[in-house]
């Protein structure tokens, strides 16, 4: 499509004849005066003054007359094109014929250029009739251009291909086993939660800065620019901007629908249940990244090209186009930020905060609407406060969880699984959380000082490290309290070992180790060893007391047989009771399970061998000796293998093995 025609190409004249040097002087005089860009009256006066200096300009009145006739001729030619095209549109019931022929649009714009040039360059003797005709034609032409501008925008809008954009997004999926199942809204009924399933939290995806899509067919962009240039030159900038922003605003609304973002009020958002809300939050994160980095960047490029002739038009047009889309996204985020805080929402809120924070530099660079910018800034701050508040809510929930049902077999408590998988995911948001928690009060961390006065170097730790240390310390205290739900003291230590070891493994095998450090791991491994020693003492002291020499009544040769029988009988009863109970206990970690068995063997078997070696001979030859000496040391060693497997073995099964 042609742009601007600078000569009267629409007229049929041109002529020849003896202008010669006089004509050149006259033309030069007119060109000089016109180039001064003065009003028509001033130009006429200047030409008349020039005629007094050179007799070759004495025929100025003839020139003025000729110029007026030329203006009329230009208008006649332009009028035919403009009115013919406008009439053709009316007869087609409003259908556009702009794209039917490249020639029509080119001639139409050329006709407008001629009229606008004429209005700009009316030199002398302005004819009011010519002026009125020209202005009327401009009005008719602008009405047509305004309509065509909208048609071209609509016809050439490129539908958003969301799937291809999703394919361009780099995703990071993190496993989150919440109670080995779904995340409860509160820490309730942990004991009843079944294990085995896994929940995944999909981390907010990243979008490349170089991603670019066509929002409008590229071949139509220069057509739109050509129309915009004429409308702005004619004083119809406002109308042009209104049409553009109206069409593109609707297009962006449709893009949000394709991206899965609905128009919802704050009240509607706050009534949505967690599962559907989680899905909407995930779609929002994706929509913000695509919306700003792809769609709005694309809109900004279009505005810069199409409205390159006016800085104000570029700015207003982009702001008006983007405002609806941005406000819809911001309203949803605001509703989430002021909604009820519960631990399961934290990761999605952090995703939303990161997404909006990540595109904020783009918004600052593109959006000059103070209201929209301040709203975006306020919503970002609100999401930050919501994230902090939700994290505090999580800390409080861990502290106040008071389920009273002991875990069967002393296995890992669902609270432990929940918290450790939760904090494992938090590591991925360390930078964000450090910035949000930077100036928070850390008074509650005073409890991290050891009993012996050794104080952790909290000042050198990051804010998130300090908070996680305090959180895990709270979890340990809660678990210690829960261990008292078991009446058997030995099982309390099994429960503690299972849970502390689970915590250690989660820290050691994840990025948590970089935050909490090796010292934390070493400290808690030492704690597990202490619990193992305490277990041995609680579980086996009574059985081992049966194998001591005290109270037997003499040396190995003259010991009381009655006392020996009672000792062996009591040991057998203790061992069988331990076996019956502790085969039902569960130590999940194979290495810990084996270490406990070895420790028991090292404690029990040497004592049993020694006792049998000293006193067994006094009963072996006697009547019913097998009733008292039921097990050899090898038998005991074999039975110890069955401990901590989580399958209780009854007493008669044990006796059958020994027979």
């Amino acid at each position: 499509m042609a742009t601007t025609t600078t000569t009267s190409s629409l007229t049929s004249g041109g002529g020849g004849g003896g202008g010669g040097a006089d004509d050149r002087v006259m033309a030069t005089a007119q060109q000089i005066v016109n180039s001064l860009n003065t009003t028509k009256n001033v130009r006429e006066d200047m030409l008349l003054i020039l005629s007094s200096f050179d007799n070759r300009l004495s025929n100025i009145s003839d020139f003025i007359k000729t110029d007026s006739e030329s203006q009329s001729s230009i208008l006649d030619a332009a009028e035919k094109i403009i009115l013919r095209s406008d009439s053709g549109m009316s007869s087609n019931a409003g259908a556009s014929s702009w794209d039917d022929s490249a020639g029509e649009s080119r001639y139409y714009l050329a006709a407008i250029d001629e009229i606008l040039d004429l209005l700009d360059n009316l030199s002398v003797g302005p004819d009011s009739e010519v002026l009125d005709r020209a202005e009327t034609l401009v009005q008719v032409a602008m009405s047509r251009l305004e309509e065509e501008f909208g048609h071209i925008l609509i016809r050439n809008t490129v539908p958003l291909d969301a799937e291809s954009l999703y394919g361009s997004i780099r995703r990071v999926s993190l496993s989150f086993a919440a109670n080995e199942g779904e995340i409860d809204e509160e820490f309730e009924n942990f004991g009843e939660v079944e294990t085995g399933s896994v929940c995944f939290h999909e981390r907010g995806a990243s979008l490349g800065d170089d991603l670019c899509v066509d929002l409008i067919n590229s071949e139509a962009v220069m057509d739109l620019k050509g129309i915009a240039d004429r409308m702005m030159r004619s004083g119809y900038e406002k109308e042009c901007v209104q049409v553009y922003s109206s069409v593109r605003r609707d297009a962006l609304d449709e893009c949000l629908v394709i991206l899965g973002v609905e128009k919802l009020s704050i009240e509607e958002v706050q009534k949505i249940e967690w599962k559907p809300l989680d899905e909407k939050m995930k779609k929002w994160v994706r929509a913000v990244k695509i919306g700003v980095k792809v769609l709005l960047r694309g809109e900004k490029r279009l505005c810069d090209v199409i409205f390159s002739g006016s800085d104000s038009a570029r700015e207003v047009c982009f702001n008006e186009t983007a405002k609806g889309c941005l406000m819809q996204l911001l309203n949803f985020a605001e509703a989430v930020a002021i909604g009820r805080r519960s631990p399961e929402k934290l990761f999605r809120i952090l995703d939303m905060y990161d997404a909006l924070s990540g595109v904020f530099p783009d918004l600052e660079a593109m959006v000059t609407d103070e209201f929209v910018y301040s709203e975006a800034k306020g919503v970002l701050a609100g999401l930050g406060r919501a994230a902090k508040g939700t994290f505090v809510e999580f800390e409080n929930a861990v502290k106040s969880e008071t389920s009273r049902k002991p875990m069967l077999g002393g296995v890992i408590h669902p609270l432990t699984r929940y918290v450790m998988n939760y904090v494992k995911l938090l590591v991925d948001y360390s930078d964000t959380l450090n910035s949000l928690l930077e100036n928070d009060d850390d008074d509650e961390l005073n409890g991290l000082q050891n009993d012996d006065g050794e104080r952790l170097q909290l000042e050198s730790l990051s804010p998130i490290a300090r908070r996680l240390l305090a959180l895990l310390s709270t979890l340990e205290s809660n678990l210690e309290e829960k261990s008292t739900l078991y009446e058997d003291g030995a099982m309390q230590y099994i429960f503690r070992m299972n849970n502390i070891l689970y915590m250690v493994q989660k820290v050691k095998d994840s990025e948590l180790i970089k935050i909490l450090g090796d010292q934390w791991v070493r400290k808690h491994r030492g704690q597990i060893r202490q619990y193992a020693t305490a277990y041995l003492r609680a579980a086996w002291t009574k059985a081992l007391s049966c194998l001591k020499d005290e109270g037997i009544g003499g040396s190995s040769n003259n010991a009381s047989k009655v006392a020996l029988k009672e000792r062996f009988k009591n040991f057998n009863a203790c061992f069988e009771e331990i076996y019956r109970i502790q085969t039902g206990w569960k130590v999940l970690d194979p290495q810990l399970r084996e270490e406990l068995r070895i420790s028991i063997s090292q404690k029990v078997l040497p004592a049993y061998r020694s006792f049998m070696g000293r006193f067994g001979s006094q009963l072996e030859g006697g009547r019913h000796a097998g009733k008292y000496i039921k097990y050899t040391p090898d038998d005991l060693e074999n039975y110890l293998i069955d401990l901590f497997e989580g399958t209780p073995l009854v007493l008669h099964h044990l006796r059958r093995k020994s027979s």
Side-chain angles (χ1 to χ4, degrees):
M1 178 182 295
T3 52
T4 304
T5 304
T6 58
T7 62
S8 300
S9 59
L10 301 175
T11 61
S12 58
D22 291 349
D23 289 343
R24 287 195 296 274
V25 171
M26 182 67 72
T28 301
Q30 184 189 19
Q31 185 177 5
I32 291 171
V33 173
N34 287 344
S35 67
L36 295 176
N37 199 25
T38 57
T39 64
K40 295 184 288 293
N41 290 336
V42 172
R43 289 199 295 269
E44 178 184 356
D45 292 342
M46 291 178 68
L47 284 172
L48 292 174
I49 292 169
L50 286 172
S51 68
S52 65
F53 291 102
D54 193 319
N55 59 6
R56 285 177 294 182
L57 297 174
S58 59
N59 60 345
I60 191 68
S61 59
D62 294 336
F63 172 79
I64 293 172
K65 181 179 178 181
T66 302
D67 194 45
S68 179
E69 291 173 352
S70 174
Q71 292 165 1
S72 241
S73 175
I74 292 172
L75 278 180
D76 288 342
E79 186 175 49
K80 288 180 181 178
I81 294 175
I82 289 173
L83 295 183
R84 182 178 69 239
S85 297
D86 192 61
S87 174
M89 278 187 60
S90 301
S91 64
N92 287 325
S96 172
S97 58
W98 193 265
D99 287 344
D100 293 346
S101 168
E104 181 192 352
S105 57
R106 183 168 63 248
Y107 287 132
Y108 196 88
L109 293 181
I112 294 172
D113 289 339
E114 292 293 349
I115 298 171
L116 295 177
D117 288 343
L118 180 64
L119 288 171
D120 288 341
N121 299 318
L122 282 177
S123 54
V124 292
D127 187 332
S128 61
E129 182 183 349
V130 170
L131 186 60
D132 289 344
R133 283 181 64 201
E135 290 177 345
T136 299
L137 286 174
V138 168
Q139 291 177 0
V140 172
M142 291 305 109
S143 177
R144 165 78 188 276
L145 287 188
E146 183 178 339
E147 191 169 350
E148 289 297 342
F149 196 64
H151 284 316
I152 294 173
L153 280 169
I154 293 171
R155 285 196 304 271
N156 289 279
T157 294
V158 178
L160 182 67
D161 185 356
E163 290 305 317
S164 67
L165 284 175
Y166 295 159
S168 302
I169 295 178
R170 296 183 290 276
R171 292 192 172 96
V172 182
S173 294
L174 302 173
S175 173
F176 183 29
N179 308 338
E180 296 300 296
E182 296 170 356
I183 305 175
D184 285 346
E185 291 195 1
E186 299 292 346
F187 294 107
E188 296 176 351
N189 302 320
F190 273 115
E192 285 72 36
V193 177
E194 295 183 2
T195 62
S197 60
V198 177
C199 174
F200 288 92
H201 170 78
E202 185 178 277
R203 179 74 163 92
S206 59
L207 192 64
D209 287 337
D210 57 347
L211 190 59
C212 179
V213 298
D214 285 334
L215 305 178
I216 293 177
N217 288 322
S218 55
E219 59 269 20
V221 173
M222 295 315 294
D223 292 352
L224 293 166
K225 173 176 168 51
I227 294 176
D229 286 343
R230 272 72 176 190
M231 292 187 72
M232 289 188 293
R233 184 181 173 191
S234 304
Y236 285 75
E237 178 178 306
K238 180 180 178 182
E239 291 79 359
C240 187
V241 168
Q242 285 178 339
V243 172
Y244 183 92
S245 59
S246 175
V247 173
R248 293 307 303 162
R249 196 162 47 232
D250 290 344
L252 286 179
D253 287 345
E254 182 61 29
C255 288
L256 289 184
V257 172
I258 293 172
L259 293 172
V261 178
E262 306 170 53
K263 280 189 177 180
L264 298 169
S265 68
I266 290 178
E267 293 75 17
E268 289 172 326
V269 173
Q270 293 182 341
K271 291 178 182 177
I272 301 173
E273 295 295 326
W274 165 239
K275 284 187 178 180
L277 179 61
D278 176 56
E279 190 63 28
K280 292 182 188 301
M281 292 167 77
K282 184 165 65 174
K283 290 177 179 178
W284 184 94
V285 169
R286 207 159 48 187
V288 164
K289 294 176 181 180
I290 292 175
V292 175
K293 289 188 171 290
V294 178
L295 300 180
L296 294 191
R297 276 184 182 177
E299 291 294 344
K300 186 68 168 63
R301 284 193 297 270
L302 284 175
C303 288
D304 288 346
V305 172
I306 294 171
F307 297 96
S308 60
S310 169
D311 291 341
S312 63
R314 282 203 304 269
E315 180 178 331
V316 172
C317 196
F318 175 76
N319 285 333
E320 288 301 312
T321 300
K323 185 174 183 178
C325 169
L326 285 174
M327 290 308 299
Q328 184 178 339
L329 291 169
L330 293 175
N331 286 340
F332 179 85
E334 182 182 6
V336 169
I338 64 177
R340 187 177 71 87
R341 293 170 183 173
S342 52
E344 77 278 1
K345 293 181 181 178
L346 179 57
F347 299 104
R348 287 288 175 233
I349 293 174
L350 287 169
D351 283 339
M352 292 176 69
Y353 179 88
D354 282 346
L356 187 54
S357 178
V359 301
F360 209 80
D362 295 274
L363 292 178
E364 284 184 300
M366 293 188 293
V367 178
T368 57
D369 186 313
E370 285 298 325
F371 173 76
V372 175
Y373 176 75
S374 64
E375 283 291 301
K377 195 172 182 180
V379 168
L380 181 63
L383 287 171
R385 288 191 297 271
K388 288 170 61 177
T390 305
F391 185 69
V392 171
E393 191 71 23
F394 173 64
E395 292 174 316
N396 292 336
V398 175
K399 189 180 300 183
S400 61
E401 199 284 312
T402 56
S403 59
R404 303 297 296 172
K405 183 177 180 180
M407 301 303 298
L408 185 64
V411 297
I412 300 163
H413 198 282
L415 176 63
T416 309
R417 295 184 185 277
Y418 186 104
V419 173
M420 294 312 299
N421 283 288
Y422 200 98
V423 299
K424 184 179 175 182
L425 281 186
L426 283 178
V427 177
D428 201 48
Y429 300 88
S430 293
D431 292 342
T432 301
L433 287 168
N434 279 329
S435 66
L436 292 174
L437 301 172
E438 188 170 8
N439 299 317
D440 275 19
D441 187 6
D442 287 337
D443 286 347
E444 73 277 10
L445 299 180
N446 290 331
L448 292 176
Q449 185 173 359
N450 292 341
D451 294 337
D452 60 2
E454 180 186 352
R455 183 172 180 80
L456 295 173
Q457 300 299 314
L458 299 178
E459 295 78 8
S460 64
L461 298 176
S462 65
I464 186 60
R466 294 196 294 269
R467 294 294 279 267
L468 290 183
L469 282 172
L471 177 66
L472 295 184
S473 179
T474 299
L475 173 61
E476 289 175 49
S477 298
N478 197 320
L479 291 172
E480 189 167 348
E481 181 68 23
K482 292 185 187 306
S483 71
T484 62
L485 297 174
Y486 298 100
E487 294 181 2
D488 191 323
M491 194 174 192
Q492 293 180 11
Y493 295 111
I494 294 294
F495 173 77
R496 293 181 189 180
M497 279 188 283
N498 275 329
N499 283 269
I500 297 299
L501 181 58
Y502 182 83
M503 294 172 65
V504 169
Q505 289 170 336
K506 283 293 182 181
V507 170
K508 186 172 64 70
D509 298 337
S510 71
E511 294 296 305
L512 278 169
I513 187 66
K514 295 180 180 178
I515 293 180
L516 301 180
D518 292 328
Q519 181 181 351
W520 187 93
V521 172
R522 286 194 297 271
K523 174 186 173 183
H524 287 79
R525 285 200 180 281
Q527 203 170 346
I528 293 170
R529 287 193 293 271
Q530 291 173 4
Y531 288 149
T533 301
Y535 156 78
L536 287 172
R537 186 165 52 247
W540 292 95
T541 296
K542 184 178 179 182
L544 290 172
S545 68
C546 299
L547 304 178
K548 292 181 178 179
D549 294 351
E550 294 85 351
I552 295 179
S555 65
S556 58
N557 294 323
N558 59 5
S560 168
K561 289 188 177 182
V562 173
L564 286 175
K565 289 178 181 180
E566 189 65 22
R567 288 294 183 89
F568 276 106
K569 181 180 177 182
N570 289 340
F571 176 83
N572 293 337
C574 286
F575 183 83
E576 290 167 4
E577 180 70 4
I578 290 172
Y579 183 89
R580 181 181 64 81
I581 293 173
Q582 296 192 22
T583 52
W585 295 357
K586 185 77 171 176
V587 176
L588 295 172
D589 182 72
Q591 183 177 343
L592 177 60
R593 187 167 61 243
E594 185 61 25
E595 287 175 356
L596 284 173
R597 289 168 179 167
I598 291 173
S599 297
I600 296 168
S601 297
Q602 291 174 344
K603 196 88 171 174
V604 175
L605 296 184
Y608 188 72
R609 284 194 181 96
S610 175
F611 192 79
M612 277 197 66
R614 293 196 306 276
F615 304 109
S617 59
Q618 295 191 36
L619 298 179
E620 285 176 346
R623 198 176 169 191
H624 305 301
K627 180 180 177 181
Y628 303 104
I629 305 177
K630 295 168 64 174
Y631 312 112
T632 67
D634 289 340
D635 291 333
L636 297 183
E637 188 172 13
N638 289 331
Y639 293 136
L640 291 177
I641 296 174
D642 296 332
L643 300 184
F644 315 127
E645 291 289 350
T647 305
L649 298 177
V650 294
L651 189 60
H652 67 80
H653 179 72
L654 176 66
R655 285 176 172 165
R656 187 168 61 250
K657 288 182 68 176
S658 64
S659 60

